[in-house]
Amino acid sequence: MDRITKLLGLARVELLCPEPELLLNRCGKAGLELRQIRRKDGLTLQAVVPERELSALRELTERCRGELRVLELRGGSKSRARLRARKALLLALALVLALLLSSSLFIWEIQVQGCETLSQGQILRALADCGVEPGCFWPGISVDLVRSRMLTELPELAWMTLRISGSRAVVLVQERREKPEIYREEQAADIVAAAPGVIREMTVLNGRALVQPGDAVLAGEVLVSGSMESQTAPSRSVRARAEIRADTWHELTAACPLEMLQQRESGRSSSRFSLQFGKKRLKISGFSGKALDECDTIVHEYSLGIEGLFSLPVKLIREERRSLSPTGTEAAREQEMETALVRRLEEQIDGEILESSFSVGRADGLLLVTLRAHCVENIAQTAELSPP
């Protein structure tokens, strides 16, 4: 009964009337249900009435030249409003759950792991050719078929696998490793000089040494022969092995235009916000999308979803454009070129740099930086001999 009363509603009212007894008699004749009637003073009554009879009681009070004041409302319209709000909330929650469930059947985010030589862009393009791209229906994807096509289109891959969790796809790849140099021990070979230099020390493990420390050699000159001669036995061919460290001298030159200006940030920046639904983007506010040479644009993407569980096809994108101002930094460019030359030389040699010097010149609108270095490196290089 309390639930029904709460649903129908009760109102505690105050009736101000010149003739309260006349009002009560007319309420009784009209069938109005008044409860907990209490006389406040000679002209004022307080009572509890069902909310549905409130309008009829107000009209009857006005006929008796009185006034009705509502002191409190319990249940009724308030309870129904709260119930409607709860129904709307439950409906919205059901709608969100339905959207999440339907969205989880589509791939909205693809992560690539394990790529080193290949770029993520190459792998994503190959996946798109195989039908795996944002917005695709993943229950219709055959992982075995995708794996076979990927290994055919990208021969650099040794294997790959596709793992789908909700609306997130993780692609694990492993690239092929270069096969090590395979040779037969019985295959005859000489040791030749990989670069010109002056021999500092030699460690010959197999073969016949043709030079000694202190000798100057040219690139390609035979240092250790694989032909072994004997006074008591016929000559034989072996695979020469040795480590020969020599003093070498290298010269590398780098060039860049003199007119090229390095740019730095001026401190001014602006942002543009947009929403991306699937593959369509809706601009919200900010600068125009025209690219400017004197600006850098940094794109920040914020995906809606829970990391590791699901991802929604909605992204908030913030594009930050930072203004750049040209500045002449020739000295900085020289330093960068010198560093790049040293790094390049270290990659070329099998040893270390003992001394280095730089020279700077300008010719035909170019800035020229030359590195001259004295190095100690292993110049032994295997050169297989053709069979007789």
Side-chain angles (χ1 to χ4, degrees):
M1 189 67 183
D2 292 339
R3 292 184 180 180
I4 298 176
T5 303
K6 184 178 292 187
L7 184 63
L8 295 178
L10 295 175
R12 190 164 66 88
V13 298
E14 186 176 79
L15 303 173
L16 180 61
C17 182
E19 300 180 19
E21 294 79 5
L22 178 62
L23 177 60
L24 291 177
N25 292 334
R26 291 188 176 182
C27 288
K29 291 182 180 179
L32 298 181
E33 183 180 358
L34 297 180
R35 307 175 186 175
Q36 303 176 14
I37 302 174
R38 184 171 68 88
R39 195 179 188 98
K40 186 177 181 182
D41 54 40
L43 302 178
T44 307
L45 297 176
Q46 289 186 350
V48 175
V49 63
E51 185 181 1
R52 66 177 185 276
E53 298 179 356
L54 196 58
S55 58
L57 180 60
R58 185 185 302 275
E59 182 180 355
L60 190 59
T61 304
E62 291 176 353
R63 289 181 181 177
C64 295
R65 296 174 298 171
E67 180 184 356
L68 184 144
R69 298 175 184 173
V70 179
L71 302 178
E72 182 184 0
L73 280 176
R74 291 180 292 175
S77 57
K78 288 188 176 181
S79 298
R80 290 193 295 271
R82 285 196 294 267
L83 184 60
R84 284 194 296 269
R86 291 178 183 177
K87 288 182 178 179
L89 181 61
L90 293 176
L91 183 60
L93 181 60
L95 181 60
V96 170
L97 292 176
L99 289 176
L100 290 178
L101 181 60
S102 60
S103 176
S104 64
L105 299 177
F106 297 86
I107 294 177
W108 300 113
E109 184 177 351
I110 301 177
Q111 295 180 350
V112 181
Q113 299 177 0
C115 57
E116 296 178 359
T117 304
L118 293 173
S119 66
Q120 292 193 9
Q122 290 176 291
I123 296 177
L124 291 176
R125 283 192 294 270
L127 284 171
D129 294 337
C130 298
V132 181
E133 58 183 343
C136 66
F137 184 65
W138 66 259
I141 296 176
S142 172
V143 177
D144 294 334
L145 182 59
V146 171
R147 183 189 302 114
S148 301
R149 290 189 59 184
M150 286 288 291
L151 295 179
T152 301
E153 294 189 11
L154 297 177
E156 297 86 354
L157 296 181
W159 64 268
M160 68 84 61
T161 185
L162 178 63
R163 186 176 63 205
I164 301 176
S165 176
S167 53
R168 189 186 305 271
V170 179
V171 182
L172 300 175
V173 300
Q174 181 174 344
E175 300 173 352
R176 294 185 183 274
R177 297 180 179 177
E178 294 293 334
K179 294 182 179 179
E181 182 182 359
I182 300 176
Y183 63 88
R184 295 175 299 171
E185 189 63 34
E186 62 272 12
Q187 176 67 43
D190 292 337
I191 296 295
V192 301
V198 177
I199 296 176
R200 174 177 287 202
E201 58 184 21
M202 298 178 61
T203 303
V204 180
L205 303 177
N206 199 12
R208 180 168 53 92
L210 301 181
V211 294
Q212 58 185 357
D215 291 347
V217 296
L218 299 175
E221 182 178 343
V222 179
L223 306 180
V224 180
S225 174
S227 177
M228 303 291 291
E229 297 179 355
S230 175
Q231 296 180 353
T232 61
S235 61
R236 60 190 179 91
S237 298
V238 298
R239 187 177 188 84
R241 290 186 295 172
E243 181 177 346
I244 302 174
R245 297 180 65 81
D247 293 285
T248 59
W249 289 263
H250 296 268
E251 181 176 315
L252 298 177
T253 301
C256 74
L258 281 171
E259 290 79 8
M260 186 181 69
L261 294 178
Q262 194 173 20
Q263 293 181 324
R264 62 179 177 84
E265 294 185 8
S266 62
R268 299 189 305 271
S269 64
S270 57
S271 297
R272 180 175 71 168
F273 294 90
S274 58
L275 282 177
Q276 181 172 333
F277 300 91
K279 296 182 179 180
K280 295 184 177 180
R281 183 177 296 187
L282 175 63
K283 176 183 174 182
I284 300 177
S285 64
F287 52 82
S288 64
K290 184 178 180 181
L292 301 177
D293 294 336
E294 65 275 10
C295 292
D296 277 348
T297 302
I298 304 174
V299 179
H300 306 270
E301 292 187 357
Y302 306 95
S303 301
L304 297 183
I306 300 177
E307 183 70 24
L309 293 179
F310 67 91
S311 177
L312 294 177
V314 181
K315 290 182 179 181
L316 176 63
I317 300 176
R318 181 171 71 92
E319 298 176 68
E320 183 181 4
R321 178 172 291 177
R322 298 178 180 176
S323 301
L324 302 177
S325 60
T327 176
T329 56
E330 187 173 311
R333 294 205 305 275
E334 291 179 10
Q335 184 64 35
E336 292 176 2
M337 295 168 69
E338 292 174 1
T339 304
L341 287 173
V342 172
R343 189 183 304 114
R344 179 68 178 273
L345 182 58
E346 290 175 344
E347 294 174 353
Q348 290 182 357
I349 65 174
D350 181 15
E352 59 180 343
I353 301 174
L354 296 182
E355 297 178 355
S356 63
S357 62
F358 297 93
S359 61
V360 180
R362 297 164 183 79
D364 299 329
L366 296 177
L367 174 66
L368 305 176
V369 178
T370 301
L371 166 66
R372 295 179 179 86
H374 174 202
C375 308
V376 174
E377 59 177 308
N378 179 23
I379 62 172
Q381 182 178 9
T382 302
E384 295 186 352
L385 300 176
S386 57

